[in-house]
Amino acid sequence: MNKFWKWVRNKAPDGEDPDLAERTLFLNGTIASESWFDDDVTPALFKSDLDSGKGPITVWINSPGGDVWAAAQIYNMLLSYVGKVTVKIDGLAASAASVIAMAGDEVLVSPVSMLMIHNPSTMAMGDKDDLAQAISMLDSVKDSILNAYVKKTGLSKNKLSKLMDDETAGRG
């Protein structure tokens, strides 16, 4: 089974509940390769891994992005997790990976790492009605992504939308 995530459970200090030990989640590579939709690697499996402990989590991200729907599910799962979630960007958190990063209670970006945001994209074909529907869907996706960015940064939707239009990358 080929997963784009890996969990590491750190050892609990002596006398402490091992279920409350800090865990580390590594998100490396493309978010939601096609295998996310296979029977082996599913959102339910990711959630099961996430819910296998109760302590704080550190999420290390080094990803060019990927599937925005999978990123939305991971974002929501991390956001609703009961323990503290610290996100550390140790390479690149681009595109859909930047959405996942917004779920952290604390987000840390190394001075040599980057976070990149841009407008969502898709491939479409068909007549003018099909293409208009694709444009409408992209507008809705952008609005949902903006909700995560606004919630985390406190910046206005207009400012963040412009940053997405400009395909903005920033360093820590």
Side-chain angles (χ1 to χ4, degrees):
M1 176 178 348
N2 185 21
K3 298 189 281 188
F4 56 88
W5 70 87
K6 178 182 176 185
W7 285 98
V8 175
R9 184 179 300 270
N10 301 323
K11 188 174 186 243
D14 289 338
E16 288 194 22
D17 182 351
D19 285 338
L20 298 178
E22 181 176 7
R23 293 180 297 151
T24 304
L25 168 62
F26 294 93
L27 293 177
N28 291 304
T30 303
I31 302 299
S33 62
E34 292 167 12
S35 63
W36 182 260
F37 300 104
D38 290 344
D39 291 334
D40 293 1
V41 181
T42 65
L45 179 59
F46 182 90
K47 180 138 179 62
S48 174
D49 286 353
L50 175 65
D51 291 342
S52 69
K54 298 179 179 130
I57 296 172
T58 298
V59 181
W60 288 87
I61 299 177
N62 185 24
S63 172
D67 185 284
V68 70
W69 308 119
Q73 286 183 297
I74 294 168
Y75 167 86
N76 287 324
M77 288 178 200
L78 291 173
L79 199 63
S80 65
Y81 180 72
V82 296
K84 181 180 180 188
V85 176
T86 301
V87 171
K88 293 184 176 183
I89 300 168
D90 69 337
L92 175 67
S95 194
S98 72
V99 174
I100 294 170
M102 299 299 106
D105 296 309
E106 182 178 21
V107 179
L108 306 169
V109 183
S110 161
V112 296
S113 297
M114 296 185 81
L115 184 130
M116 189 271 286
I117 64 173
H118 64 88
N119 287 326
S121 63
T122 192
M123 294 177 65
M125 60 185 280
D127 64 22
K128 66 182 184 90
D129 293 333
D130 295 326
L131 297 178
Q133 184 177 6
I135 290 169
S136 176
M137 183 267 305
L138 287 172
D139 287 341
S140 295
V141 170
K142 180 176 182 175
D143 196 51
S144 72
I145 292 169
L146 281 166
N147 289 333
Y149 293 156
V150 166
K151 180 176 179 170
K152 186 65 191 168
T153 68
L155 297 174
S156 74
K157 232 177 196 181
N158 287 337
K159 169 79 174 167
L160 288 161
S161 179
K162 174 78 171 106
L163 291 171
M164 290 174 74
D165 292 344
D166 293 343
E167 192 169 303
T168 304
R171 288 189 207 122

